Amino acid sequence: MGGKFADEVASALQLPSKSFSLKEVWEKQPPEDAGHQSLEEHMIKATQDMWYDDYHAFDNFRDKYWADHQRAPYVTPPTRAAWNFGKTISRPDRDDAALSTVAYESKITQKEEHLPFVVGVMGVPGM
């Protein structure tokens, strides 16, 4: 599905499209600061800030719902899984993840800055 979408966008923009496995690239040449972490291990740590923020963005909602109905609100299984993971992350781990993005020297500020975390459009091979 993701590959078809990428091909359609590339075609519409008259750009070349190339499919690759981020996992294979990582295994062949992992970033120096990744240590011996697999891509999966690195991504879990690198995204803890998003999981934490997603869970805690709904603290007031969950509290009010519980106060009004004496039970937890119904949420979809994916949201339940995300909240169950997000609530296990401590604030210090969240803050570490937010600061663990790739560092570079800015040509504008001449200071070390961090690249924002970006989610690409990816799909399972053959989809």
Side-chain angles (χ1 to χ4, degrees):
M1 182 201 272
K4 183 178 177 186
F5 173 74
D7 290 342
E8 289 177 9
V9 171
S11 177
L13 298 175
Q14 298 179 338
L15 296 170
S17 174
K18 180 180 179 186
S19 180
F20 66 94
S21 166
L22 185 56
K23 184 176 181 178
E24 288 175 14
V25 171
W26 185 281
E27 288 171 354
K28 288 178 186 171
Q29 190 174 8
E32 290 179 19
D33 63 347
H36 297 288
Q37 290 181 321
S38 68
L39 175 61
E40 292 83 2
E41 291 167 331
H42 179 76
M43 292 306 295
I44 287 171
K45 179 165 176 35
T47 60
Q48 284 185 335
D49 57 327
M50 292 188 301
W51 294 105
Y52 177 96
D53 291 347
D54 179 61
Y55 175 73
H56 290 288
F58 292 93
D59 285 347
N60 290 339
F61 166 74
R62 284 189 302 274
D63 292 345
K64 181 167 180 9
Y65 195 94
W66 185 269
D68 292 347
H69 304 284
Q70 289 72 53
R71 64 183 173 91
Y74 171 80
V75 293
T76 63
T79 299
R80 173 71 52 217
W83 284 2
N84 284 342
F85 181 66
K87 69 183 175 184
T88 68
I89 299 166
S90 69
R91 181 62 193 225
D93 285 344
R94 179 256 179 244
D95 293 344
D96 285 346
L99 296 174
S100 69
T101 56
V102 178
Y104 71 101
E105 185 175 323
S106 170
K107 297 196 183 308
I108 297 171
T109 64
Q110 305 302 313
K111 296 179 181 177
E112 183 178 286
E113 296 186 8
H114 295 270
L115 294 174
F117 181 81
V118 176
V119 177
V121 177
M122 296 181 269
V124 177
M127 295 294 287

